[in-house]
Amino acid sequence: MGSGRKHWRDRLGTPKTVVLYRTPDVWRFAVHFAGGIADGYLDQPSAGSEPGEAQTAAHAKAEELAGQPLTISWEESDKPDWWTGAITTEPTELMPNSATG
């Protein structure tokens, strides 16, 4: 018999943004959903790695948390070593290619 409680993923709702930032020891992230925030740190890459590697890992973590493919458009923040990503739930393959017009 079910308890009637929603799965945590259903309670969080749609992902909206992801924040990624470097600390001296690790890359940290926060995925902002319509109904809450999931945050933590990335096991890999190391804090000394390039931002692109951390963005790729954070993208994978956001997809894992959302349970679906996501498209993330990253923008550097005015704070050093901080990035914000706007999330859309459409997979990249379905998005129009901006390079082709």
Side-chain angles (χ1 to χ4, degrees):
M1 182 178 271
S3 67
R5 291 183 53 170
K6 289 184 176 181
H7 186 274
W8 63 266
R9 187 177 287 144
D10 296 331
R11 290 191 308 263
L12 284 176
T14 306
K16 302 294 183 186
T17 59
V18 60
V19 176
L20 174 67
Y21 58 99
R22 186 189 331 237
T23 67
D25 300 321
V26 70
W27 285 97
R28 296 200 52 91
F29 70 91
V31 181
H32 297 251
F33 291 83
I37 298 172
D39 66 340
Y41 66 91
L42 300 173
D43 290 326
Q44 293 293 323
S46 69
S49 65
E50 293 296 318
E53 292 178 64
Q55 289 170 353
T56 298
H59 188 144
K61 180 58 84 172
E63 288 183 331
E64 178 186 330
L65 291 167
Q68 62 184 325
L70 303 172
T71 298
I72 301 177
S73 301
W74 292 100
E75 290 189 29
E76 193 168 0
S77 172
D78 56 349
K79 298 178 185 178
D81 290 331
W82 282 67
W83 289 264
T84 302
I87 297 176
T88 56
T89 54
E90 295 80 22
T92 305
E93 303 82 53
L94 301 179
M95 298 294 287
N97 185 344
S98 60
T100 61

